């Protein structure tokens, strides 16, 4: 078995060993000896099976997809240069600058890990779900159960697939029309910014065909941006709760971080805390 840093498996092993579990949002016991990530931790962070990670490291998994390599790059907190090298060693072309980036810089990864007290998720410019913490899964349902291609906010709002069916019932204080218009406007901006991104164009064509509401907003050339809102969410364990929903744009990138919170001491904060009791211990990224 070859763990040379010139091989895909060797790179993954080396970068796994250097990443501190705490930076990945993993709580470790004082008695832990391993300084880096264990294979099962990396697998969970990347949304992959442990067996597949083992086969990647041992060189037995051939031709990994771009989605898998992208998920590994995010889970390993790689820089843009390291990410591109990982793609090339895997026999793939690195993402082009004229395509929507799905890469999350290491600093943003650490920020996400340290904000684990609130439901939080990271989205791309095309509203693809890239990473989420356990509190998000507890509040919104675990995205792992949804096919990767369906993990998109626009598909959840306007589509007719798994993303739409898994969406928790909610009501926007700004009104559903304003919220929908903002999502469509964001996609219009993304299409203008990244005209060569085929998957983004496919998403827009699909939603214009399958959703009259989406198509109506698109024809109106809606402008705006999805930012701060208050949402009343129906949760199967605690009933309804009204939460602040803030959208933070990462400086220097098109990434959006969505964070849910409630005023300290409120009944909504108590419900949100109860929902978080069942959460796991780390961030997950979308394969």
């Amino acid at each position: 078995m070859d763990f040379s840093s010139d091989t895909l498996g060797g790179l993954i092993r080396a970068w796994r060993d250097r990443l501190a579990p705490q930076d990945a949002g993993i709580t470790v016991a004082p008695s832990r000896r391993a300084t880096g990530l264990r294979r099962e931790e990396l697998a969970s962070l990347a949304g992959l099976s442990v067996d597949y990670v083992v086969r990647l490291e041992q060189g037995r998994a051939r031709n990994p997809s771009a989605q898998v390599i992208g998920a590994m790059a995010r889970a390993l907190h790689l820089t843009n240069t390291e990410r591109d090298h990982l793609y090339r060693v895997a026999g793939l072309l690195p993402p082009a600058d004229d395509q929507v980036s799905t890469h999350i810089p290491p600093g943003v990864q650490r920020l996400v890990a340290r904000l684990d007290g609130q439901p939080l998720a990271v989205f791309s410019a095309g509203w693809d779900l890239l990473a989420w913490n356990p509190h998000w899964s507890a509040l919104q349902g675990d995205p792992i159960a949804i096919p990767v291609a369906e993990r998109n906010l626009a598909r959840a709002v306007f589509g007719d697939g798994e993303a739409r069916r898994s969406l928790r019932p909610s009501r926007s204080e700004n009104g559903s029309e304003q919220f929908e218009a903002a999502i469509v406007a964001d996609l219009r901006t993304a299409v203008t910014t990244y005209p060569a991104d085929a998957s983004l164009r496919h998403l827009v064509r699909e939603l214009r065909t399958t959703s009259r509401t989406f198509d109506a907003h698109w024809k109106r050339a809606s402008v705006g941006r999805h930012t701060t809102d208050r949402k009343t969410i129906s949760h199967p364990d605690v009933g309804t709760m009204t939460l602040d929903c803030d959208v933070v744009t990462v400086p220097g990138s098109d990434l959006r971080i969505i964070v849910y919170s409630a005023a300290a001491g409120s009944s909504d904060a108590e419900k949100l805390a109860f929902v978080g009791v069942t959460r796991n211990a780390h961030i997950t990224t979308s394969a």
Side-chain angles (χ1 to χ4, degrees):
M1 150 186 341
D2 185 3
F3 284 130
S4 165
S5 59
D6 294 330
T7 67
L8 178 62
L11 283 172
I12 293 172
R13 173 68 181 268
W15 285 330
R16 174 168 65 80
D17 286 344
R18 81 174 184 186
L19 180 59
Q22 296 88 337
D23 286 339
I26 297 174
T27 302
V28 298
S31 59
R32 177 175 172 135
R33 294 183 179 180
T35 56
L37 295 181
R38 298 188 173 109
R39 285 194 183 103
E40 60 268 23
E41 292 168 341
L42 175 59
S44 183
L45 289 168
L48 304 170
S49 71
V50 178
D51 176 67
Y52 189 70
V53 170
V54 170
R55 288 190 288 119
L56 279 174
E57 288 195 358
Q58 294 179 348
R60 294 187 293 112
R62 306 294 182 183
N63 304 316
S65 68
Q67 290 81 6
V68 165
I69 295 301
M72 293 294 284
R74 291 192 293 273
L76 290 166
H77 292 202
L78 302 187
T79 65
N80 286 340
T81 301
E82 291 168 340
R83 174 205 63 185
D84 290 352
H85 184 62
L86 187 66
Y87 271 86
R88 292 189 182 99
V89 172
L92 299 166
L93 289 175
D97 291 338
D98 56 1
Q99 295 179 326
V100 174
S101 176
T102 61
H103 186 62
I104 305 176
V108 177
Q109 294 267 27
R110 289 191 292 272
L111 175 65
V112 170
R114 291 164 188 171
L115 290 176
D116 188 44
Q118 305 295 337
L120 178 153
V122 182
F123 292 81
S124 71
W127 284 112
D128 285 319
L129 177 60
L130 303 179
W132 60 92
N133 66 9
H135 214 141
W136 177 278
S137 296
L139 176 67
Q140 298 282 27
D142 193 351
I144 286 292
I146 304 172
V148 174
E150 281 284 309
R151 296 175 196 167
N152 179 280
L153 182 59
R155 279 201 168 95
V157 174
F158 300 102
D160 56 5
E162 288 297 316
R164 180 62 176 265
R165 288 190 286 272
S166 66
L167 192 64
R168 292 264 199 260
S170 65
R171 184 177 69 256
S172 169
E173 189 175 81
N174 292 338
S176 60
E177 184 170 347
Q178 182 175 332
F179 169 67
E180 293 167 354
I183 297 300
V184 174
D186 280 343
L187 287 183
R188 181 182 292 278
T189 299
V191 167
T192 303
T193 305
Y194 304 100
D197 194 299
S199 62
L200 184 60
R201 295 199 310 271
H202 173 77
L203 171 65
V204 171
R205 284 197 302 269
E206 174 189 320
L207 293 179
R208 290 196 67 183
T209 301
T210 59
S211 170
R212 292 181 179 179
T213 303
F214 183 94
D215 189 54
H217 283 298
W218 189 269
K219 288 177 178 176
R220 284 198 291 268
S222 304
V223 294
R225 194 174 186 87
H226 180 35
T227 53
T228 300
D229 198 354
R230 279 177 62 80
K231 293 192 176 181
T232 300
I233 299 174
S234 296
H235 192 278
D237 295 331
V238 299
T240 61
M241 54 185 148
T242 301
L243 307 173
D244 291 318
C245 176
D246 293 296
V247 183
V248 180
T249 302
V250 177
S253 80
D254 290 328
L255 296 176
R256 289 83 178 264
I257 301 175
I258 292 186
V259 185
Y260 283 98
S261 63
S266 67
S267 61
D268 291 316
E270 292 177 359
K271 291 179 180 179
L272 188 58
F274 180 81
V275 166
V277 168
T278 59
R279 63 197 177 98
N280 297 317
H282 49 72
I283 309 300
T284 303
T285 68
S286 186

